[in-house]
């Protein structure tokens, strides 16, 4: 599968794909996108990268077991969900902050964004993990 | 302290002390016995105090209402309706599930609870004598016995029906543990299973009955049942069904025919357990339950006949089998079955009313029941000593009656208990059993005024009494070594659980017969001095209806001085019993045919179940799919038959689509989906199939885009990419495709087409059906309003929005964030599954 054309072009596609995935994940609150879509996108990019460049390259790019991503993502999501309980609010209660930045810009942050990040990480971890496990069976 | 708490502590006391004995070192036996004995003792005292409090409070309450407890007797109409059930306060537990803790203290409850704790104390002491200084057995025995006692106490004092069920199941579990006491004896374990399954089945019936009763009448407490019996619609088949189910629970627990087989089987338990099980616990739980639902049953015409019929069969069967047994424990077990049948029939008789001209010259309708506590107590006071002595004699000599000739002269104390209690079994004059049997015969005699069929019951009772007397005669002649004993005609019996240990001396050694002697004394006190008996039990008696017996149990002299049919029947039974006792017939040890019921059902369940299992679980995915889809189609067909409007609505919706060509982009995409789906079965090449499946998915993406759902489209798109990637990888792992038979293909095609059409139909209905609620109250509308800013007018009453303009995402991470959290967790679990099922095959790079 690892043709030279695909491998060379992957070095271009990979950063764009990952950045685009992040972009999709973060703009999700106001426009089409979201953690799930972003996660799938990043996973697809990484999967194709693994096919073209091999498992060793992916290991260099992602120097941890995918389950670390999954557990990190789950922890973030859970923490976001549970956090309001500590201030006496209901589970998953969301908060909004508007930060005023210099140069007249402002940043609109919803606490649900952290939840979305958690979902993103879980999806990436699962997809990458599954695909590499199945691929390993092939590469025996 | 509140009476409810006192009762709760009383119920839990035996279990608590039983568990505390575990903390003692294994070697300390005497402290263990004393600690274990403390449990029932404390329970007895607390129950006394608690129930007195409740009873007094209830008496004050009743007095405030004109004292209708006294009026009910003369009211004539329904003798039970006005009997109040004094109940203590409620300890809240799970109120929403109709399960709180509340405790009763009417005569039946107090009587049973004192009986359980009192006999329980004796059993604790007897266990010390029975097991001897065997420290391991005692270590294991007392906690289990405490559990059993707590369960039984809980049953009798519980007011909430579900609360009682809880304890009811606890008796099943604890009796299972006790019957299968000898863990290494496979037979004992099997018999324990038999008892557990049989009574557990009844427990299920009781559970269903309680739920049905609660759902149909909203009665979740026994006190409500007694108080509102007039308001319940007893003609409602659901209510009758509920009581029938409750009765099944009572019948299995108290070993009514044909479920009685578990009770003789429970003889595998150590004798202390048998004595307890037969006299005060477990089997009496069923009788207790029959007494509890008594007021309701008397109003349903079916029930008295059911109770009397079943009880009579059980009574006769138990008696006839009992005289043809050789193992003492089995003899007494079948007499217990017989007595349980009698008690069931007694409560059945309670529902038969007969006209009676009272002293005041007015004709009352009186129920043919009397002094039910005396009927139950007299059995406890001879059956427990019988078992205690049987266990003792089994230790010293043998439990086989054919080997006990002249045993009296070797072990006089134990045999004396056996004889005294046996005389009670025979209902000889001088024991309270005599009066009790006489009262029962009176009840039948009065019932014959209603129907001549009761003469048959009278006859069955006499035959049973003959059997009981014959058993006593044989026991006495054998033990005393007189002619006519079982030795001379003996047929060897191999069912012998003899396990001797050297007899101990002193107080601890005497504990093997002393509790029996203590328990048999009330038998004679009651028989000879009924006034004393009445002073204890009369306050609790609910059914003292005969004017002549309204003061309680009559004395023997009274009965003899006022002869009537019942007395002649008693006389006939005693004479017949003596004759049968000396006859050389009916001396073989017969095997009860009902013993095969459980093994047969077990075999049927295991073998038949295995066959059905192999029929259904073929391991072929295609067949599973067919079953699922068939079920779906059947359910849909049922829905359509139930609501034919579904057809009309769908036809109207289809008719409205006359301008179908306006939807051409969507239709085109839909045709693409259908087309690629249809192509899938046409090819045998897997990769092509996967790609066609992908084509389906991409066409669906197109549909989403056409109908402006970019989020869905994006998700579907990414999902298709990932799944095609995964499939391609997995495909290469699969073995080469085998050519498959095409049998059954037409049916599969038909099912697929049908399912497809039904899905389309349902979608059409979902999309076009009239909504029963206003558009502004729709979830979609509410979500849309609150997506960014909170809408003060919205139904959600949210003061703030989700802070995002993409509704889909706001729903996902905010409004329905709980769902998403769950889904993410599920995904993680699935990934864990993959990682554990497919272990990593990567070679760890060895450092160079």
């Amino acid at each position: 599968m690892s043709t030279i054309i695909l491998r060379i072009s992957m070095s271009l596609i990979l950063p764009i794909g990952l950045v685009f995935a992040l972009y999709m994940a973060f703009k999700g609150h106001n426009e089409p996108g979201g953690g799930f879509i972003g996660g799938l996108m990043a996973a697809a990019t990484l999967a194709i990268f693994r096919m073209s460049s091999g498992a060793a390259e992916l290991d260099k790019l992602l120097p941890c077991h995918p389950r670390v991503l999954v557990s990190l993502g789950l922890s973030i999501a859970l923490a976001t969900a549970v956090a309001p309980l500590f201030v006496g609010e209901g589970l998953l209660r969301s908060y909004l902050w508007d930060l005023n930045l210099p140069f007249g810009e402002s940043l609109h942050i919803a606490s649900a964004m952290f939840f979305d990040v958690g979902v993103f990480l879980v999806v990436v971890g699962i997809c990458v993990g599954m695909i590499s496990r199945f691929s390993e069976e092939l590469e025996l | 302290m509140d009476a409810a708490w006192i009762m709760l502590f009383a119920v839990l006391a035996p279990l608590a002390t039983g568990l505390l004995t575990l903390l003692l070192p294994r070697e300390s036996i005497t402290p263990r016995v004393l600690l274990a004995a403390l449990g029932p003792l404390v329970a007895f005292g607390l129950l006394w105090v608690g129930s007195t409090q409740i009873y007094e409070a209830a008496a004050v309450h009743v007095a405030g209402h004109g004292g209708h407890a006294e009026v009910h007797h003369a009211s004539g109409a329904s003798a039970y309706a006005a009997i109040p059930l004094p109940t203590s306060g409620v300890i809240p537990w799970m109120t929403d599930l109709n399960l709180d803790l509340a405790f009763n203290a009417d005569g039946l409850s107090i009587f049973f609870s004192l009986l359980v704790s009192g006999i329980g104390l004796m059993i604790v002491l007897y266990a010390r004598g029975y097991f001897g200084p065997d420290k391991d057995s005692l270590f294991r025995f007392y906690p289990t016995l405490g559990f059993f006692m707590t369960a039984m106490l809980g049953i009798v004092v519980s007011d909430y029906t579900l609360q009682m069920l809880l304890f009811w199941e606890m008796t099943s579990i604890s009796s299972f543990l006790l019957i299968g006491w000898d863990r290494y004896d496979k037979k004992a374990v099997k018999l324990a299973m038999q008892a557990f399954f049989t009574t557990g089945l009844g427990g299920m019936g009781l559970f269903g009955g309680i739920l049905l009763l609660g759902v149909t009448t909203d009665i979740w407490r026994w006190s409500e049942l007694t108080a509102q019996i007039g308001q319940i619609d007893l003609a409602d088949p659901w209510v009758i069904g509920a009581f029938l189910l409750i009765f099944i629970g009572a019948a299995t627990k108290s070993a009514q025919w044909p479920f009685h087989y578990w009770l003789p089987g429970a003889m595998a338990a150590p004798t202390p357990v048998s004595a307890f099980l037969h006299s005060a616990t477990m089997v009496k739980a069923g009788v207790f339950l029959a007494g509890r639902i008594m007021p309701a049953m008397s109003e349903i015409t079916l029930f008295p006949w059911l109770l009397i019929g079943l009880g009579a069969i059980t009574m006769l069967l138990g008696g006839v089998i009992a005289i043809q047994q050789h193992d003492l424990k089995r003899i007494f077990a079948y007499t217990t079955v017989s007595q349980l049948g009698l008690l069931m029939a007694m409560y059945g008789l309670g529902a038969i009313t007969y006209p009676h001209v009272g002293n005041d010259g007015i004709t009352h309708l009186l129920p043919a029941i009397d002094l039910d506590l005396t009927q139950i107590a007299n059995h406890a006071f001879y059956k427990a000593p019988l078992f205690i002595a049987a266990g003792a004699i089994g230790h010293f000599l043998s439990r086989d009656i054919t080997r006990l000739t002249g045993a009296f002269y070797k072990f006089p104390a134990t045999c004396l208990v056996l004889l005294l209690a046996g005389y009670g079994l025979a209902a000889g004059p001088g024991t309270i059993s005599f009066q009790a049997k006489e009262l029962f015969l009176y009840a039948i005699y009065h019932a014959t005024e209603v129907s001549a069929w009761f003469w048959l019951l009278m006859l069955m009772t006499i035959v049973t009494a003959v059997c009981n007397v014959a058993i006593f005669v044989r026991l006495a002649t054998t033990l005393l070594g007189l002619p006519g004993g079982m030795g001379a005609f003996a047929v060897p019996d191999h069912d012998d659980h003899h396990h001797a240990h050297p007899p101990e001396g002193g107080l601890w050694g005497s504990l093997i017969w002393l509790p029996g002697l203590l328990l048999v004394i009330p038998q004679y006190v009651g028989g000879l001095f009924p006034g004393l008996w009445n002073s204890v039990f009369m306050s609790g008696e609910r059914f003292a209806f005969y004017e002549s017996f309204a003061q309680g149990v009559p004395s023997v002299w009274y009965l003899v001085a006022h002869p009537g049919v019942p007395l002649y029947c008693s006389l006939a039974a005693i004479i017949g019993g003596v004759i049968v006792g000396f006859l050389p017939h009916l001396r073989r040890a017969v095997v009860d045919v009902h013993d095969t019921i459980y093994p047969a059902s077990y075999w049927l369940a295991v073998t038949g179940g295995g066959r059905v299992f192999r029929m259904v679980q073929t391991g072929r995915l295609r067949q599973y799919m067919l079953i699922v889809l068939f079920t779906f189609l059947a359910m849909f067909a049922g829905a359509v038959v139930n609501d034919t409007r579904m057809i009309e609505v769908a036809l109207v919706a289809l008719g409205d689509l006359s301008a179908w060509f306006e939807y051409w982009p969507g239709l085109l995409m839909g045709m693409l989906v259908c087309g690629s789906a249809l192509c899938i079965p046409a090819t045998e090449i897997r990769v092509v199939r996967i790609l066609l499946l992908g084509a389906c998915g991409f066409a669906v993406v197109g549909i989403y885009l056409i109908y402006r759902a970019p989020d869905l489209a994006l998700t579907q798109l990414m999902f298709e990419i990932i799944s095609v990637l995964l499939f391609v990888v997995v495909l290469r792992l699969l073995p080469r495709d085998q050519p498959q038979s095409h049998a059954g293909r037409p049916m599969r095609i038909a099912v697929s087409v049908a399912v497809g059409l039904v899905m389309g139909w349902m979608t059409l209905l979902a999309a076009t059906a009239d909504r029963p609620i206003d558009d502004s109250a729709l979830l979609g509308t509410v979500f849309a309003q609150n997506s960014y800013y909170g809408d003060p007018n919205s139904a959600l009453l949210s003061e703030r929005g989700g802070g995002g303009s993409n509704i889909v995402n706001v729903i996902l991470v905010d409004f329905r964030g709980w769902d998403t959290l769950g889904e993410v967790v599920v995904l993680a679990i699935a990934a864990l599954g993959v990682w554990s099922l497919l272990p990593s095959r990567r070679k760890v790079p060895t450092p160079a």
Side-chain angles (χ1 to χ4, degrees):
Chain A
M1 261 224 243
S2 65
T3 61
I4 186 89
I5 299 173
L6 187 57
R7 202 162 59 217
I8 299 297
S9 52
M10 260 332 273
S11 62
L12 197 63
I13 293 171
L14 180 73
I16 295 176
L18 288 180
V19 168
F20 188 65
L22 277 176
Y23 167 71
M24 286 302 268
F26 280 107
K27 78 168 182 152
H29 219 51
N30 292 315
E31 282 167 65
F36 194 74
I37 295 170
L40 284 176
M41 222 168 248
T45 315
L46 288 171
I48 298 172
F49 175 69
R50 188 190 190 285
M51 284 184 177
S52 61
S53 311
E57 290 295 313
L58 184 68
D59 280 352
K60 271 185 210 157
L61 188 71
L62 200 70
C64 62
H65 194 283
R67 66 175 165 235
V68 178
L69 289 183
V70 175
S71 41
L72 189 68
L74 260 188
S75 316
I76 293 175
L78 266 179
T80 322
V82 173
L85 291 181
F86 291 102
V87 289
E89 289 285 348
L91 201 72
L92 278 165
R93 162 81 197 237
S94 72
Y95 290 87
L96 298 176
W97 297 283
D98 282 298
L99 299 181
N100 287 318
L101 297 181
F103 310 114
E105 296 286 326
S106 78
L107 189 57
H108 177 77
I109 299 176
S111 67
M113 184 198 77
F114 299 107
F115 189 73
D116 231 6
V117 170
V119 174
F120 177 89
L121 288 175
V122 171
V123 173
V124 173
I126 288 166
C127 293
V128 170
M130 282 193 188
I131 289 176
S132 37
R133 264 302 148 78
F134 284 125
S135 309
E136 278 166 23
E137 290 284 317
L138 278 182
E139 289 157 4
L140 269 179
Chain B
M1 193 161 48
D2 183 35
W5 282 100
I6 296 180
M7 298 291 267
L8 181 64
F9 286 137
V11 167
L12 293 180
L15 179 62
T17 53
L19 290 178
L20 281 179
T21 59
L22 289 174
L23 298 178
L24 296 173
R26 265 174 197 260
E27 286 70 28
S28 57
I29 290 176
T30 308
R32 182 183 307 283
V33 176
L34 294 179
L35 185 57
L38 195 65
L41 204 63
V42 167
F44 192 90
L46 286 180
L47 284 167
W48 191 277
V49 173
S51 57
T52 314
Q53 273 191 22
I54 297 172
Y55 214 76
E56 280 166 3
V60 171
H61 177 77
V62 168
H65 285 76
H68 49 247
E70 301 303 321
V71 182
H72 81 268
H73 192 292
S75 68
S78 174
Y80 316 100
I83 307 172
L85 194 59
T87 307
S88 66
V90 175
I91 305 173
W93 186 16
M94 292 188 267
T95 312
D96 288 342
L97 299 177
N98 297 303
L99 177 55
D100 287 338
L101 298 176
F103 298 95
N104 281 331
D106 69 332
L108 197 64
S109 288
I110 304 174
F111 162 72
F112 263 107
S113 58
L114 295 184
L115 193 70
V116 171
S117 47
I119 294 187
L121 177 64
M122 293 297 142
I123 297 299
V124 166
L125 296 178
Y126 173 59
R128 168 64 180 85
Y130 180 82
F131 286 116
D134 179 356
K135 55 183 188 292
D136 287 331
S137 287
L138 288 176
F139 184 75
R140 202 153 66 87
F141 184 74
Y142 283 133
T144 330
L145 187 71
F147 183 37
F148 193 30
M149 242 182 266
T150 288
M152 190 61 207
L153 284 176
I155 288 182
V156 297
V157 296
S158 292
D159 187 23
Y160 275 85
T161 50
L162 288 172
Q163 180 192 357
M164 195 193 85
L165 181 80
L166 205 68
F167 289 109
W168 185 278
E169 297 296 340
M170 273 167 67
T171 58
S172 289
I173 297 169
S174 52
S175 68
F176 166 75
L177 293 174
L178 288 168
I179 295 168
W181 176 255
D182 193 349
R183 306 172 275 191
Y184 305 110
D185 182 356
K186 277 199 178 145
K187 197 161 166 263
V189 173
K190 237 177 216 169
L191 290 170
M193 292 284 277
Q194 169 178 309
F196 184 67
F197 272 116
T198 311
T199 57
L201 179 82
M204 285 293 112
L206 178 63
F207 192 17
I210 284 174
L211 290 185
L212 205 53
L213 183 69
V215 169
T216 48
T217 63
D218 201 31
I219 283 175
W220 296 97
R221 297 170 70 165
W222 296 119
S223 52
E224 283 173 4
L225 180 68
T226 26
Q228 301 174 10
I229 194 68
Q231 284 95 292
I232 304 174
D233 176 18
L234 287 166
D236 184 354
W238 289 108
V239 175
I240 293 179
F243 282 113
L244 208 57
L245 283 171
I246 294 179
F247 173 69
I248 288 174
T252 52
K253 204 72 157 184
S254 64
Q256 298 297 303
W257 179 83
F259 300 113
H260 68 271
Y261 55 83
W262 73 263
L263 188 55
M267 288 304 95
T271 309
V273 179
S274 309
F276 200 31
L277 198 97
H278 283 249
S279 60
T281 57
M282 189 83 172
V283 296
K284 290 293 172 64
V287 174
F288 169 80
L289 188 60
R292 246 309 153 257
I293 57 173
M294 178 74 214
M297 288 191 308
S298 65
E299 309 285 331
I300 304 174
T301 41
L302 167 75
F303 270 100
W305 300 101
L306 187 67
L307 256 77
I308 295 170
L310 217 57
I313 292 173
T314 313
M315 176 174 70
L316 188 65
L317 192 81
V320 171
I321 297 179
I323 63 166
Q324 304 183 63
Q325 296 294 322
H326 285 174
D327 185 351
L328 283 183
K329 271 176 90 171
R330 285 188 79 81
I331 296 175
F332 301 146
Y334 277 107
T335 60
T336 304
V337 170
S338 166
Q339 178 74 15
L340 290 169
L342 187 147
L343 293 173
M344 249 340 149
M346 172 190 78
Y347 278 122
L349 280 175
I352 306 288
T353 46
Y354 70 99
H356 172 75
V357 182
N359 289 339
D360 47 4
I362 304 167
T363 306
H364 301 302
L365 271 179
L366 289 189
I369 192 178
D370 50 76
L371 308 178
D372 57 332
L373 300 191
T374 297
Q375 295 285 3
I376 297 165
N378 90 77
H379 175 241
F381 287 130
Y382 68 76
K383 194 48 65 65
L386 276 180
F387 271 105
I388 286 175
I393 204 81
H395 264 255
F396 301 142
L397 290 169
S398 165
R399 266 182 13 220
D400 191 335
I401 192 169
T402 59
R403 300 181 191 178
L404 291 175
T405 309
F408 184 80
Y409 308 107
K410 288 183 191 162
F411 301 101
T414 306
C415 289
L416 183 69
V417 174
L418 208 51
L419 287 177
L420 286 177
Y423 190 59
L425 168 70
T431 59
I432 188 72
S433 298
F434 176 74
Q435 280 108 315
K437 189 138 292 174
E438 199 67 10
L439 288 170
F440 185 64
L441 291 173
Y442 264 99
I444 301 175
Y445 179 58
H446 284 301
T448 53
E449 291 178 27
V450 179
S451 162
W453 280 103
F454 285 104
W455 287 112
L456 185 64
L457 180 64
M458 185 76 101
L459 188 70
M460 289 164 102
T461 315
I462 293 173
V463 173
T464 313
V466 164
C467 293
N468 285 348
V469 174
I471 289 168
F472 170 65
V473 169
R474 284 182 193 173
L475 195 65
T477 49
T478 307
L479 290 180
L480 295 171
L482 301 175
M486 285 295 275
F489 310 96
V491 177
D493 180 10
H494 299 289
D495 185 23
D496 188 8
H497 297 268
H498 176 63
H499 55 291
H501 63 77
E504 277 182 278
L507 174 67
W508 295 123
S510 71
L511 276 184
I512 202 162
W513 56 267
L514 194 60
L517 190 65
L518 291 177
L519 282 175
V520 83
I521 286 173
Q523 220 12 278
Y524 290 88
V525 171
L528 298 173
F529 312 103
L532 214 53
W533 177 277
N534 289 334
S535 64
V536 176
F537 288 103
M538 202 50 199
S539 58
E541 291 281 8
R542 299 177 302 162
F543 304 115
F545 287 112
Y546 300 119
E547 279 166 14
S548 17
F549 302 152
Q551 300 310 311
V553 180
S555 69
V556 182
W557 323 121
Y558 178 88
L559 289 172
V560 173
H562 298 74
V565 176
L567 187 72
Y568 301 141
C569 290
S570 265
L571 220 60
I574 291 175
I575 294 169
V578 172
I579 293 171
V580 173
F582 281 103
L583 280 183
H585 307 293
L586 297 174
R587 293 197 170 208
R588 284 182 170 278
V590 298
V591 177
D592 187 2
V593 284
H594 299 91
D595 284 347
T596 54
I597 290 180
Y598 174 77
S601 340
Y602 188 82
W603 179 86
L604 196 68
V606 171
T607 316
R611 234 166 250 172
V612 173
F613 181 82
R614 278 189 291 280
M615 229 184 313
V616 177
Q617 298 287 338
T618 52
R620 286 210 300 260
L621 189 64
R622 196 180 275 169
Q623 194 157 354
Y624 294 160
M625 284 297 291
L626 267 184
I627 291 174
V628 170
L629 294 180
F630 260 126
T631 315
F632 168 71
L633 286 179
M635 284 166 67
F636 189 78
V640 171
V641 169
N642 205 24
D643 183 7
T644 43
R645 278 193 317 131
M646 283 170 80
I647 303 173
E648 299 158 24
V649 172
L651 286 178
V652 169
L654 274 181
D656 287 349
L657 292 179
S658 51
W660 56 271
F661 41 83
E662 283 177 17
Y663 304 101
W664 66 269
L667 278 178
L668 200 67
M669 283 297 168
M671 268 145 59
L672 255 177
V673 174
C674 295
S676 40
L678 281 176
C679 287
I680 293 176
T683 172
E684 297 274 331
I685 309 162
R686 280 173 174 161
V687 177
V688 178
R689 284 184 172 179
I690 297 302
L691 291 179
L692 282 171
L693 208 59
C696 269
F698 284 118
V700 172
V701 171
I703 293 179
Y704 286 149
L705 281 176
I706 288 165
Y707 292 103
R708 291 177 316 221
D711 279 277
L712 285 182
L714 265 175
T715 313
Q716 179 83 15
L717 187 69
M718 298 320 296
F719 177 76
E720 286 303 329
I721 293 172
I722 298 268
S723 61
V724 168
L725 273 177
L726 262 176
F727 266 127
V728 168
V729 175
V730 171
L731 262 193
R732 292 179 56 188
L733 293 173
L734 287 179
R736 186 173 289 279
D737 203 2
Q738 300 292 327
Q740 288 173 348
S741 75
H742 290 182
R745 183 175 252 191
M747 189 184 64
R748 290 203 296 275
I749 292 176
V751 169
S752 314
V753 170
V755 169
L757 285 178
V758 164
M759 289 305 288
W761 191 350
M762 282 169 67
T763 315
L764 191 66
L765 283 179
T768 59
D770 291 330
R771 296 190 180 89
I773 50 171
D774 193 47
D775 267 0
S776 64
L778 285 180
L779 207 53
T781 319
V782 173
F783 280 164
Q785 281 168 350
N786 289 286
S787 173
Y788 201 89
Y789 294 114
D791 177 4
N793 301 320
S794 89
L796 266 181
L797 289 176
S798 161
E799 78 280 19
R800 40 141 222 126
S805 48
N806 177 5
I807 305 173
V808 178
N809 206 57
V810 171
I811 290 175
L812 275 180
V813 299
D814 195 330
F815 296 153
R816 317 276 318 249
W818 197 217
D819 281 3
T820 311
L821 192 65
E823 282 156 14
V824 171
V825 172
V826 168
L827 272 180
I829 293 170
L832 274 182
V834 171
W835 283 324
S836 48
L837 286 175
L838 287 179
S840 177
R841 309 220 185 243
R842 298 270 286 278
K843 303 204 171 41
V844 181
T846 45

